[in-house]
C-alpha cells in the first residue's frame, strides 16, 4: 500500500467537494428484474460528489455506472458457466442503499467510491444491510480517492476498521485459488499498487468479512472488455476469478 494510506485508516479524510444545494445528477433509464430467487448482480447507485460530461455506452458518467452494462452481463455469463448459482443473465439490478429491496440480495457491488456520497438514510440502510449478512464489493478507485471512501465508510460503520488482507484469507480461496491478488495489475494505472482490504463483523478477523475493497484496482474494467483484445486473456481470467470468489464467499458466509 502507498506509504500514506495506512494513516488514512485512522485519521480524518477529506471529502471530495460536492455541488451546491439543489444539485441533482441527470437521471438515466434502467429496468430492474423482479425478485425471483435466482442470483442477481446488484449495482449500488449513489449521488456522485461530482460528475463528468462524458458519455459511456450507457448513460452519463455518474461514477456508479462505470462499466455498466457490459461488465455486469459478462460477469453473469461467467457465473452461469462456472457455478451452480443459476444467475439472472438478462441484466442486473441497480439499487440505492436505502431501498428495502436491497435486503433480498446478499451481495452488492459499488464502483468509483471516490465519488460516493451518503445521506443519513443511506448510511443507516447500508449499516443494517451489512449487519444482517450483506456483503459489499468496492471496486474501481485509486490514489487520493481513498480519502472520500474512508470518510463515507466512517458514516456507515463509525467504529469499523479497514484491515489489509493477504492471499491467505478465505475470500481468495472460496472457489478459485488466487495466489497473490496484489500481483494482479490495475488495467491501465500501472503505477498503482493494488491492495485488498476488508471490514470484519465486530472488527474480528476470525469472523465474517462484510466488505471487500479493491483499492488501486479496477476489476470490472477487465470484465467489461474481456470479449475484446483490450487485455491479455490471462489477466481477464484473473479478474473473473476474483469476482467469482467474492460472490461465492458472500453467498456462503
Amino acid at each position: 500500500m502507498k506509504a500514506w494510506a495506512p494513516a488514512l485508516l485512522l485519521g480524518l479524510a477529506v471529502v471530495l467537494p460536492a455541488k451546491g444545494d439543489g444539485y441533482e445528477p441527470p437521471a438515466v433509464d434502467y429496468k430492474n428484474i423482479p425478485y425471483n430467487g435466482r442470483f442477481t448482480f446488484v449495482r449500488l447507485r449513489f449521488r456522485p460528489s461530482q460528475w463528468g460530461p462524458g458519455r459511456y455506452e450507457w448513460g452519463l458518467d455518474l461514477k456508479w455506472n462505470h462499466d455498466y452494462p457490459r461488465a455486469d452481463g459478462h460477469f453473469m455469463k461467467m457465473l452461469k458457466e462456472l457455478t451452480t448459482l443459476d444467475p439472472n443473465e438478462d441484466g442486473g439490478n441497480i439499487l440505492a442503499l436505502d431501498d428495502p429491496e436491497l435486503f433480498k440480495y446478499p451481495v452488492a457491488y459499488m464502483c468509483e467510491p471516490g465519488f460516493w456520497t451518503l445521506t443519513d438514510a443511506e448510511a443507516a440502510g447500508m449499516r443494517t444491510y451489512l449487519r444482517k449478512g450483506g456483503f459489499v464489493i468496492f471496486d474501481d478507485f485509486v490514489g487520493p480517492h481513498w480519502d472520500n471512501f474512508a470518510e463515507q465508510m466512517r458514516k456507515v460503520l463509525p467504529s469499523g476498521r479497514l484491515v489489509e488482507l493477504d492471499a491467505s484469507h478465505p475470500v481468495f480461496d472460496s472457489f478459485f485459488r488466487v495466489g497473490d491478488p496484489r500481483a494482479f495489475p490495475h488495467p491501465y494505472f500501472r503505477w498503482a499498487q493494488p491492495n485488498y482490504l476488508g471490514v470484519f463483523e465486530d472488527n474480528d478477523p476470525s469472523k465474517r468479512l462484510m466488505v471487500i475493497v479493491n483499492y488501486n484496482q479496477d476489476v470490472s474494467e477487465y470484465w467489461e472488455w474481456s470479449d475484446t483484445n483490450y487485455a491479455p486473456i490471462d489477466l481477464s481470467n484473473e479478474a473473473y476469478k476474483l469476482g467469482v470468489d467474492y460472490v461465492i464467499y458472500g453467498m456462503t458466509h
Side-chain angles (χ1 to χ4, degrees):
M1 180 178 288
K2 295 288 186 181
W4 47 264
L8 291 174
L9 298 178
L10 302 176
L12 293 176
V14 178
V15 181
L16 292 173
K19 301 289 185 180
D21 292 342
Y23 158 70
E24 288 297 333
V28 294
D29 293 326
Y30 58 86
K31 184 177 181 180
N32 285 344
I33 302 168
Y35 180 76
N36 59 12
R38 297 169 65 188
F39 180 82
T40 301
F41 188 89
V42 171
R43 178 179 287 262
L44 298 171
R45 63 178 175 86
F46 53 85
R47 180 181 182 273
S49 57
Q50 49 184 282
W51 65 281
R55 295 191 67 89
Y56 285 76
E57 179 179 337
W58 175 82
L60 295 166
D61 179 8
L62 300 178
K63 309 306 179 186
W64 59 261
N65 65 342
H66 280 201
D67 306 325
Y68 181 92
R70 287 170 54 85
D72 309 40
H74 291 169
F75 183 48
M76 288 303 95
K77 289 178 182 177
M78 283 295 180
L79 277 178
K80 176 73 172 180
E81 292 295 323
L82 297 170
T83 75
T84 58
L85 284 179
D86 190 26
N88 287 301
E89 294 182 82
D90 295 334
N93 287 359
I94 297 173
L95 298 172
L97 284 163
D98 58 351
D99 189 334
E101 286 290 306
L102 180 60
F103 291 88
K104 296 178 179 178
Y105 305 97
V107 179
Y109 169 90
M110 181 187 292
C111 70
E112 290 283 359
F115 299 92
W116 179 27
T117 66
L118 275 168
T119 65
D120 290 344
E122 288 170 337
M126 186 176 190
R127 186 181 311 118
T128 303
Y129 176 73
L130 294 174
R131 288 175 175 172
K132 284 183 175 290
F135 182 71
V136 175
I137 303 162
F138 288 97
D139 187 39
D140 191 6
F141 69 122
V142 297
H145 286 180
W146 175 270
D147 295 19
N148 183 67
F149 165 72
E151 176 67 18
Q152 304 310 308
M153 282 302 299
R154 273 190 287 273
K155 295 177 184 177
V156 176
L157 297 170
S159 61
R161 293 202 309 269
L162 283 155
V163 178
E164 191 162 3
L165 305 176
D166 62 30
S168 67
H169 191 273
V171 75
F172 301 117
D173 193 21
S174 58
F175 190 90
F176 290 105
R177 181 70 184 100
V178 176
D180 183 1
R182 292 169 295 190
F184 173 46
H186 191 286
Y188 43 91
F189 291 136
R190 293 307 171 95
W191 53 265
Q193 172 57 56
N195 285 96
Y196 301 84
L197 302 100
V199 179
F200 291 92
E201 188 175 24
D202 298 327
N203 289 320
D204 183 347
S206 69
K207 294 186 177 182
R208 178 177 64 92
L209 185 67
M210 302 188 295
V211 168
I212 183 74
V213 181
N214 303 331
Y215 174 58
N216 280 336
Q217 183 58 283
D218 187 354
V219 171
S220 70
E221 187 80 3
Y222 286 105
W223 300 346
E224 180 181 14
W225 303 109
S226 60
D227 60 344
T228 71
N229 293 321
Y230 173 73
I233 291 175
D234 59 335
L235 294 184
S236 295
N237 286 346
E238 289 301 308
Y240 281 122
K241 289 178 183 178
L242 281 175
V244 172
D245 275 353
Y246 293 167
V247 167
I248 297 300
Y249 182 92
M251 293 291 288
T252 56
H253 290 76

